[in-house]
Amino acid sequence: MLRTTLAGLRAHKLRLLLTATAIMIGVGFLAGTLVYGDTAKAAFYDDLARAAKHVDASVGSSGFSESGQRFETGIVEEVKAVPGVAHADGRMAERLPMLDRNGRLISYLGRIGWALSTPGDEHLSMYDVGTGRQPQRPGEIAVDDTTAEIYGFKVGEQVSVVGLDQKPVALTLVGIMDLGANKRFAGFTVAALTPADMRTLTGADGYAQVVVSAQPGVSQAELAGRLESALGGRAWVMTGAQMRAEYAVAAAKYVDGFLIVIFGFGLIALAVSVFVIYNTFAILVAQRIRELALLRCVGASRRQLFGSVILEAVVVGVVASLGGLLVSTVVGEGLLIGRNTVGSGVRVDRLIVTPTTVLVGVFAGTLFTVIASLLPAATASRIPPIAALRTTALAEVAPGRRLLRIVLAGVPAAGGALLMLAGTRVPGFSGVPIVFLGAIFVFTGIVIAAPLIVSRLTAWAGWVPAKVFGAAGRLAVTNALRNPKRVAATTSALMVGLALMSVFSVLLATARAQAEQELDENFAVDYIISGVYTPNGQSRKVPLAVTTTLRSHRELAAVAASRSREGDVGGRFTQIWTMEPGALDTVLRPEITAGSAGALKPGTVALNRFFADEIGARVGSSVQVRTLTLTVAALYDDAPTDGQALLDWSDYATVFGAGDPDQVLVKAAEGVAPVDSRAAVDAALKEAPLTQVSSQAEWRARITGTLDEQLGVFSALLGMSIVIGLTGIANTLALSVLERTRESALLRALGLSRGQLRGMLVLEAMLMAFVGAVVGVGFGVLVGVAASVGLIRQFGHGHPVVPYGQLLLYVVIAAAAGAVAALLPARRAARTEVAAVMVDD
C-alpha cells in the first residue's frame, strides 16, 4: 500500500500540484507573517542598539522623562574611578521647543521636543552624525534627520528654538543626526546642544543618565555590581544587555500588536485553505472509486485504504508546506516593502527565517491537510469492491436528507440570529463581539445548507447565460447544478473571504460617514488654537490678546475664546468649559437637543445629554457645580470641545478665577480658501509662538485617511483568502476536467466546437464564483449592518452605510477571477483528442 500510494502520487503530478497549491498559499501567508515579524524584530534590535552602542552598564533609567532622576556632574568622575570602567559619559535630556521656518512651534501630541547634550566621549554617543558634525561651541545645533527632512532644515542654516524666557533663539545648524528607531523620541523634534547651551536654554541641572563601557575581561554583570556598590544605592544600575532589551521591547510592542492582527488573518487564510483541501480530497476520492475498489478486490482492507488517503495527505502536506515556506518569503518581502513605503521608523532590507517559523509552517500545513482529508479517507474506506465495475460521482444531496440538512442548518442559524439581534441592542463596542459570535453560528448554518442554497442560486444566476450563450451556456449551468455538494464546498472558501471583506467595508464606510457628519454638523470650527504642554504636564494658555488680533482679519468670520477645567458636577468629576460672551450666537455653539442656547446665562448650565442621563438631570433641574447651584438651561449632543458642562463666562470665572483661554475657536469666512484662512491664522499667531493650530480639514483628512488605510490593509490581507477561494475553484475545474474527459470528448463528437467547450467551462467557473460572492457579500453586509447599529446608537446618529459600489466591485472581480482561473483547465479540455479519449480503457 505504501508503494502503491507513492506510485499514485508520481503518476498524477497535476493532481498533486493542484492540491498542493491551496496548501502552499495558506502556509505561505501564515509563515510570511512570522517571517515578517522575525525580520522586523531583528531590525529593531539592530537599530535600537545604537542608543546603547558600546554600553556595558547604565546608571539611571534607559529612558528620559521630565521628572526623572538627575545626577550632579561630578558623578561621571566618580563612575570613572570604579575598577573595570573603560569609558563613562553623562547624558543630559530636557524638553526644548523648536520652531519651523515660519516661526511656528513644532509639537507632537501637544508636547514640545527634546534636547540632548553632545557626547563627552564619542565612544558612547547615543546617535550618529550623518551630515555635518557635532555642535562644538555655544550657538550651534544638530537636529534629527526626520525633523530636518520634514521641515527642510539644511546644514548651515539657522534653526530657532525657544529659551527659558519664552523668546526665540536662532542657532546655526551644523549637523544632521541619526537616532535610529528610538521610540522614546518618535514623533518629537530632537536637538543636540553643547552642555553650555543645554544649561542656558533648557535649565538642565544634571545628567539624566550615565553610560559606561567595561574594560576587557570585565563582564556586564560584574561591572553593574561594582557600580551599585560604589554608588551606595543612590541610583538604579542596569547592564547594557538589559538596556538594549528595554529599548527593543518598547519598540517591539508595535510589531507584536501588528503581528497579532496579521497572524489572525493568516489563520483565516489557512482556515479557508482547509475548505479547498477538503473539497480537493473529496473529488480525488470520487475520481478514484474504481481504483480504490480494485485495491479492495485484490485484498486491501478498509484500514489500508484509510491509511492510504491519510498517507497521501501527509506527503502532500509536507511537500506543499515546504513550498509554502518559499511563498512566505515573498509574502514577508511584500509586507516589508509596504511597511517601508508608508514610512516606518526602521527600514528593513533583509529577511530572517527562524527554525520556529519553519516548524510552525510545516506542522500547521501538514496538520490542516490531514484534518481536511479525514472525511474523504473515511469515505474511501467504505467503498465496496463491487464499485470497481462502475464509475460513481460524488453523491448528490439525497432527497430524504434535505429535511435533516435544513434542521441542522436552521438550529445554529437561528441561535446566531438571536445573538446578533441581542448584540445590536448593546450600545457601543461591547455589542460588537456578540454580533460577531452570532455571525459565526449563522455562517455555520449557511455552510451546512450551502448545497441547497447554491443549487437554487446557481439556477437563477444561470438563467441569463443559458439564454444568451445557447448550448454552451445551458451545459455550463447543468454542470454547475450537477453536484451541489462539491460546488458548495468550493464556494464556501470564497464566501468566507468576501464576507469578512464586506463586514469591514460596511463598518469602515459607516465610521467614515459618522466622522464626516460629526465634523460637518457638530464641529463647525475650522481652526482650534491651543497652548502646548509644559515640562510639568500643564497646558500653556493662549494669550487673550490673540483673539483681538484674529478678529482683525477679514478672512475669519467667527472667533471665540474657550476655557476648560475638570471639576465636580452633580457629584461626578468631569470637564467643565465655557465660551466668551456672544459665542453662542454664532455657528460655534454646540448642537442643542433640549432647552435653548439663548437661555444660558449667569446662574444656569448646559449639560451634555449623555452626562445628564448619568447624573439624572434634565432641563429645569438644579445641579451643584463646585460651589454654585445652577439650573440646567439646555442639553447638547456635540460641541467644539470635550466638556460635559457648559457654564456662563462669568460663572466660570467665579468658580475658577479669571485667566487666559485654553483654546480659541475660529470659523473662516464664507468663500475664503483654506490656504488664505490658514495664512491669516498663522500671521495672527507670530507673537504667540507657544501655541499650536489644528484644523477641521486636517482632522477630516486624518480620519478619512486612516480609515482608508485600514480598509486597504484589511482588503490586502483578506484578499489572500479570496485568492485561496479562487484557487479552490481552479482546482475544482481542473479536477472536473480530468473527471469528465470522456464526457467532454462526447460533447465534441456531438458537434460542440473547441471554443464552445472552453466557453462552457469558463461560464461554469464564473457561475460558481458569482454565487459564492453573492452569498458572501450578502452575509457580510448583514453582519456589518448589525455591528454598526450599536455603534451608531452610542456614538452618533443616522444609519449604517452600505458601500454598494465597492461591494458590487467585489462580486465583479470574483466572477472575472473565476473566469481567469478556468482558462487553463478549459484550454486543456479543448485540446483533448476525441478519438483517443473515446476508446474504452
Side-chain angles (χ1 to χ4, degrees):
M1 287 301 300
L2 175 61
R3 290 193 298 270
T4 301
T5 301
L6 296 178
L9 288 173
R10 289 193 299 269
H12 301 285
K13 297 182 179 63
L14 178 60
R15 187 175 70 194
L16 173 64
L17 177 63
L18 293 173
T19 307
T21 300
I23 307 171
M24 287 175 60
I25 294 177
V27 172
F29 191 63
L30 175 65
T33 62
L34 300 178
V35 169
Y36 167 80
D38 294 335
T39 303
K41 284 181 180 179
F44 269 108
Y45 273 94
D46 291 342
D47 210 40
L48 290 175
R50 191 171 311 164
K53 184 169 55 178
H54 303 148
V55 175
D56 293 312
S58 169
V59 178
S61 172
S62 63
F64 303 119
S65 65
E66 299 92 332
S67 58
Q69 185 178 10
R70 296 293 185 267
F71 305 103
E72 295 181 356
T73 55
I75 193 174
V76 174
E77 296 302 322
E78 188 177 350
V79 167
K80 287 182 178 179
V82 175
V85 172
H87 300 270
D89 192 26
R91 294 174 175 176
M92 295 180 179
E94 305 292 344
R95 292 284 186 176
L96 177 69
M98 187 182 297
L99 307 181
D100 63 16
R101 289 171 172 271
N102 297 319
R104 300 291 307 130
L105 179 71
I106 303 173
S107 62
Y108 176 67
L109 298 177
R111 293 184 176 274
I112 56 179
W114 287 91
L116 306 176
S117 60
T118 54
D121 188 332
E122 287 289 344
H123 182 75
L124 292 169
S125 175
M126 69 179 299
Y127 55 83
D128 298 329
V129 178
T131 303
R133 59 173 175 83
Q134 293 272 16
Q136 297 174 349
R137 59 184 65 88
E140 295 181 342
I141 186 175
V143 301
D144 65 284
D145 50 4
T146 302
T147 299
E149 180 180 357
I150 293 175
Y151 295 97
F153 294 148
K154 305 292 184 183
V155 172
E157 297 180 347
Q158 297 292 301
V159 174
S160 295
V161 299
V162 179
L164 293 174
D165 58 359
Q166 298 190 21
K167 293 182 179 179
V169 178
L171 304 173
T172 302
L173 181 62
V174 297
I176 307 295
M177 56 182 174
D178 183 2
L179 289 159
N182 195 319
K183 288 293 181 181
R184 300 297 196 279
F185 303 127
F188 294 101
T189 60
V190 183
L193 304 174
T194 62
D197 275 346
M198 284 289 296
R199 297 184 182 92
T200 302
L201 296 175
T202 69
D205 58 357
Y207 295 123
Q209 180 187 40
V210 179
V211 290
V212 183
S213 63
Q215 295 175 353
V218 179
S219 69
Q220 292 188 0
E222 185 179 359
L223 180 63
R226 293 177 184 179
L227 289 170
E228 285 182 347
S229 299
L231 295 175
R234 285 183 290 150
W236 181 41
V237 180
M238 69 171 67
T239 65
Q242 291 172 329
M243 181 179 177
R244 277 183 283 274
E246 185 173 307
Y247 276 117
V249 168
K253 287 178 182 178
Y254 165 78
V255 181
D256 290 339
F258 183 62
L259 279 180
I260 290 171
V261 175
I262 60 178
F263 185 75
F265 286 117
L267 292 179
I268 290 172
L270 200 58
V272 174
S273 296
V274 172
F275 278 103
V276 177
I277 297 167
Y278 161 73
N279 186 50
T280 301
F281 274 98
I283 296 172
L284 293 179
V285 170
Q287 291 180 347
R288 297 166 56 198
I289 285 179
R290 295 181 68 189
E291 173 190 332
L292 296 172
L294 283 171
L295 290 173
R296 290 294 311 279
C297 286
V298 297
S301 66
R302 291 188 173 185
R303 179 177 298 179
Q304 285 178 311
L305 288 183
F306 182 85
S308 174
V309 177
I310 295 298
L311 176 61
E312 183 173 335
V314 171
V315 173
V316 174
V318 172
V319 173
S321 296
L322 292 174
L325 292 176
L326 297 178
V327 175
S328 72
T329 61
V330 177
V331 175
E333 185 69 30
L335 289 171
L336 291 176
I337 291 173
R339 185 172 179 272
N340 290 336
T341 301
V342 300
S344 175
V346 182
R347 294 194 63 84
V348 186
D349 301 315
R350 60 190 177 91
L351 290 175
I352 294 176
V353 181
T354 65
T356 302
T357 298
V358 174
L359 292 175
V360 169
V362 174
F363 177 77
T366 304
L367 176 65
F368 280 107
T369 303
V370 171
I371 291 174
S373 69
L374 289 176
L375 189 56
T379 302
S381 68
R382 293 194 298 268
I383 294 175
I386 193 64
L389 302 178
R390 54 188 171 83
T391 301
T392 305
L394 281 172
E396 299 283 348
V397 182
R401 295 188 176 182
R402 290 179 181 271
L403 181 59
L404 177 61
R405 185 177 290 273
I406 292 173
V407 172
L408 291 177
V411 171
L418 291 176
L419 276 176
M420 291 178 63
L421 182 61
T424 61
R425 299 181 181 278
V426 178
F429 291 98
S430 300
V432 175
I434 301 175
V435 171
F436 284 166
L437 179 62
I440 292 173
F441 285 103
V442 173
F443 189 77
T444 301
I446 291 176
V447 170
I448 296 173
L452 305 178
I453 299 173
V454 166
S455 297
R456 186 61 57 86
L457 289 178
T458 303
W460 290 343
W463 186 81
V464 173
K467 295 291 184 182
V468 174
F469 296 102
R474 291 193 295 273
L475 286 171
V477 176
T478 301
N479 287 333
L481 289 172
R482 178 192 298 177
N483 200 321
K485 288 180 67 176
R486 183 174 63 196
V487 175
T490 303
T491 55
S492 293
L494 196 60
M495 289 179 200
V496 173
L498 284 173
L500 289 170
M501 289 191 69
S502 301
V503 168
F504 284 111
S505 296
V506 172
L507 285 174
L508 290 173
T510 302
R512 184 187 296 111
Q514 288 291 310
E516 291 178 351
Q517 183 173 329
E518 296 300 309
L519 286 170
D520 291 338
E521 296 181 2
N522 306 320
F523 189 34
V525 178
D526 286 315
Y527 302 100
I528 297 179
I529 302 166
S530 57
V532 299
Y533 288 94
T534 59
N536 61 9
Q538 297 296 318
S539 176
R540 293 184 185 274
K541 305 296 183 181
V542 181
L544 190 57
V546 167
T547 59
T548 303
T549 307
L550 286 167
R551 290 192 181 99
S552 66
H553 290 268
R554 66 177 185 276
E555 297 90 348
L556 308 177
V559 178
S562 172
R563 300 180 64 190
S564 63
R565 193 168 173 180
E566 291 186 334
D568 181 78
V569 178
R572 299 288 183 90
F573 199 68
T574 190
Q575 194 78 16
I576 305 171
W577 64 294
T578 185
M579 289 200 296
E580 62 180 317
L584 292 179
D585 297 327
T586 70
V587 293
L588 300 176
R589 64 177 175 272
E591 180 186 10
I592 303 299
T593 60
S596 169
L600 186 65
K601 54 188 178 182
T604 64
V605 62
L607 300 176
N608 176 277
R609 65 186 182 99
F610 297 109
F611 179 74
D613 290 339
E614 291 179 10
I615 63 174
R618 59 183 184 276
V619 175
S621 300
S622 295
V623 175
Q624 188 72 26
V625 180
R626 291 195 53 140
T627 58
L628 299 179
T629 301
L630 305 176
T631 301
V632 178
L635 302 179
Y636 60 87
D637 188 358
D638 292 284
T641 75
D642 294 329
Q644 304 296 304
L646 173 61
L647 299 187
D648 178 79
W649 186 266
S650 60
D651 282 345
Y652 188 95
T654 301
V655 175
F656 296 108
D660 287 334
D662 302 292
Q663 294 180 331
V664 175
L665 313 176
V666 180
K667 179 68 176 177
E670 188 72 25
V672 175
V675 63
D676 295 329
S677 59
R678 180 59 187 261
V681 172
D682 289 340
L685 297 179
K686 282 188 176 180
E687 300 303 319
L690 293 183
T691 56
Q692 59 181 347
V693 182
S694 61
S695 74
Q696 178 180 3
E698 291 168 353
W699 278 107
R700 181 187 290 110
R702 181 180 302 178
I703 293 171
T704 56
T706 299
L707 293 172
D708 289 335
E709 256 182 43
Q710 291 297 325
L711 180 59
V713 171
F714 286 129
S715 298
L717 293 172
L718 291 170
M720 288 297 298
S721 58
I722 295 180
V723 171
I724 297 169
L726 294 173
T727 302
I729 292 177
N731 275 1
T732 300
L733 282 170
L735 293 170
S736 179
V737 167
L738 295 175
E739 181 185 8
R740 294 182 293 173
T741 301
R742 297 190 66 193
E743 175 189 319
S744 298
L746 179 60
L747 290 173
R748 289 288 317 284
L750 293 174
L752 203 66
S753 67
R754 293 179 186 268
Q756 286 178 313
L757 182 60
R758 285 194 296 266
M760 177 192 76
L761 294 173
V762 170
L763 281 172
E764 184 181 339
M766 291 183 67
L767 279 175
M768 287 194 292
F770 177 79
V771 169
V774 168
V775 175
V777 169
F779 177 69
V781 169
L782 174 66
V783 177
V785 169
S788 299
V789 168
L791 297 179
I792 293 175
R793 186 174 297 170
Q794 175 71 11
F795 299 105
H797 50 83
H799 52 80
V801 176
V802 179
Y804 294 104
Q806 193 174 49
L807 298 176
L808 178 61
L809 183 63
Y810 289 164
V811 175
V812 172
I813 290 176
V820 172
L823 291 178
L824 287 179
R827 185 170 180 267
R828 177 186 176 91
R831 293 177 61 185
T832 303
E833 294 295 334
V834 177
V837 175
M838 294 299 293
V839 177
D840 287 335
D841 295 337

